[in-house]
Amino acid sequence: MDPNRRPDDMLRITTVKQAEDFIAEQVVRLQEQIADRQVLLALSGGVDSSVVAALLIKAIGQQLVCVHVNTGLMRQGESEEVIEVFRGQLSANLVFVEASERFLDKLAGVSDPEQKRKVIGAEFIRVFEDEARKLDNVGFLAQGTIYPDILESGPVKAHHNVGGLPDDLKFELVEPVKLLYKDEVRIIGEALGLPASMVYRQPFPGPGLAVRCLGAITRDRLEAVRAADAILRQEFSAAEYDREIWQFFTIVPDFRTTGVRDGVRVYEWPVIIRAILSVDAMEASIPDLPMEFLQKVTKLILDNVPGVCRVLYDITPKPPGTIEWE
Ligand code: XMP
């Protein structure tokens, strides 16, 4: 039987009871497989890696070493939440690497979107390798591969780094949710006690805010996109749009526009709001958000984000427009 194929008779996990049975079965399996070795996991704080981390903590406790890298490209409060949940609530063995300066230095002057992705991927591998070399009993690398990743890109999660690790760091893979769909992974996460903010998080690209700070990233524009995104998320959550809208975020392009502030002309950035409805990110449509709500968000961004004098709402469906801007 192909271990990467979901058996035809495998039931879809829809209830807490089924989730608990899955967890109990996996805990035994993981304990047998791993024995007394250590397992390394890159913990981004996304749904899949968080659920795998929580499952492994239940199975092997401190033998799991989670590495969370702050690339400087995370949303506001994201690294703090990972530390609070995993170190604070789950007592995880968590290594936190503050690598913002490393990433931003490497990205300086890089404007091509694919080149930006490559620089981020390569730097991530380097940071992760540095941490892996500090440990001497690691036998396994855990990954949050889920079934759609296998269906779409073969057995290894496309953006994961195992292919890029050097030979002496090629560990055996542990992928306990690789036969599950996203909705099943979410139920498992809830049954493991992860907070709803983590389990129902909207998709967030691996390269993070880098693809929303268009062109060559500068620190001031990156801060503008992070601050505007935090306001947008706060308001979408207060209005309870956050569960029905698939993705919502802001973009700051690399050009300026004229404005007027206290009677003086200014030359500052625009912020673009993107909010889309989708079922699988392959196609997207635009939610009919009330104008009053958009005006409120616009005012909050203009009043609170330094260097921004204009706000736009992108109403382009996919196709032809992709969800992200680059
Ligand atoms: P597009 O922009 O292609 O995005 O319509 C489809 C979905 O993929 C996400 N996305 C990415 N995710 N690395 C990722 O992990 C990336 O480089 C990347 N680019 C886009 C996007 O947010 C949307 O959910």
Side-chain angles (χ1 to χ4, degrees):
M1 202 177 76
D2 180 355
N4 286 326
R5 185 145 186 256
R6 191 174 161 114
D8 294 336
D9 60 353
M10 184 168 156
L11 286 180
R12 189 94 170 198
I13 297 172
T14 56
T15 66
V16 176
K17 171 81 177 69
Q18 286 171 310
E20 285 167 355
D21 290 347
F22 174 89
I23 293 165
E25 194 185 301
Q26 284 297 324
V27 163
V28 173
R29 206 177 274 182
L30 289 165
Q31 286 169 342
E32 278 171 9
Q33 183 186 6
I34 295 158
D36 65 351
R37 309 294 302 276
Q38 282 182 310
V39 179
L40 200 56
L41 168 77
L43 178 62
S44 65
V47 182
D48 308 334
S49 66
S50 296
V51 170
V52 167
L55 191 55
L56 279 158
I57 289 167
K58 196 171 173 74
I60 57 163
Q62 299 295 302
Q63 284 166 252
L64 173 72
V65 183
C66 302
V67 179
H68 176 73
V69 180
N70 181 11
T71 57
L73 304 165
M74 315 284 285
R75 290 169 293 191
Q76 196 174 87
E78 221 160 17
S79 285
E80 289 82 353
E81 188 184 21
V82 170
I83 293 172
E84 150 62 18
V85 170
F86 284 93
R87 222 179 246 167
Q89 296 173 28
L90 300 177
S91 306
N93 185 356
L94 172 69
V95 179
F96 173 62
V97 188
E98 175 46 68
S100 302
E101 290 304 313
R102 271 177 78 161
F103 279 85
L104 297 183
D105 285 349
K106 283 268 161 28
L107 283 164
V110 182
S111 58
D112 177 75
E114 289 317 309
Q115 195 54 32
K116 283 163 76 175
R117 284 184 168 82
K118 276 191 194 134
V119 167
I120 294 164
E123 195 57 19
F124 191 89
I125 290 170
R126 241 169 268 136
V127 172
F128 196 73
E129 259 173 46
D130 290 350
E131 294 309 315
R133 287 191 201 286
K134 292 180 191 161
L135 303 164
D136 55 14
N137 190 29
V138 177
F140 302 88
L141 186 71
Q143 292 199 148
T145 311
I146 66 172
Y147 204 45
D149 299 324
I150 293 183
L151 296 178
E152 282 158 28
S153 58
V156 172
K157 196 160 189 160
H159 66 268
H160 274 91
N161 41 42
V162 73
L165 286 177
D167 279 343
D168 63 328
L169 289 178
K170 285 229 166 91
F171 310 116
E172 204 179 313
L173 289 181
V174 172
E175 298 176 302
V177 299
K178 72 175 175 184
L179 296 184
L180 303 188
Y181 289 100
K182 195 80 166 191
D183 51 306
E184 299 178 290
V185 174
R186 291 201 158 113
I187 297 172
I188 306 283
E190 277 193 310
L192 285 163
L194 289 175
S197 58
M198 213 163 234
V199 173
Y200 289 96
R201 230 174 68 140
Q202 58 172 314
F204 185 58
L209 296 179
V211 298
R212 298 174 183 172
C213 182
L214 306 186
I217 295 170
T218 57
R219 285 160 209 248
D220 44 8
R221 275 194 312 115
L222 181 62
E223 286 321 311
V225 77
R226 190 167 7 241
D229 174 77
I231 291 169
L232 192 80
R233 283 197 292 146
Q234 159 65 33
E235 293 307 308
F236 271 64
S237 159
E240 297 184 356
Y241 291 142
D242 48 353
R243 285 244 183 146
E244 66 194 79
I245 297 184
W246 174 272
Q247 268 177 294
F248 43 93
F249 55 88
T250 58
I251 297 125
V252 174
D254 51 347
F255 57 80
R256 291 176 195 257
T257 161
T258 51
V260 57
R261 220 183 265 288
D262 303 324
V264 179
R265 270 174 99 77
V266 292
Y267 199 45
E268 299 179 337
W269 305 300
V271 160
I272 299 155
I273 295 175
R274 186 95 168 114
I276 58 108
L277 301 170
S278 184
V279 285
D280 55 9
M282 300 301 287
E283 292 186 351
S285 61
I286 304 305
D288 199 1
L289 293 174
M291 187 52 86
E292 229 173 83
F293 173 76
L294 288 169
Q295 283 169 338
K296 181 180 178 208
V297 175
T298 297
K299 180 162 172 30
L300 284 169
I301 292 175
L302 292 174
D303 287 351
N304 294 291
V305 184
V308 170
C309 70
R310 198 179 289 270
V311 175
L312 303 135
Y313 182 39
D314 179 0
I315 57 167
T316 316
K318 175 183 180 177
T322 49
I323 295 172
E324 304 290 344
W325 267 50
E326 66 171 32

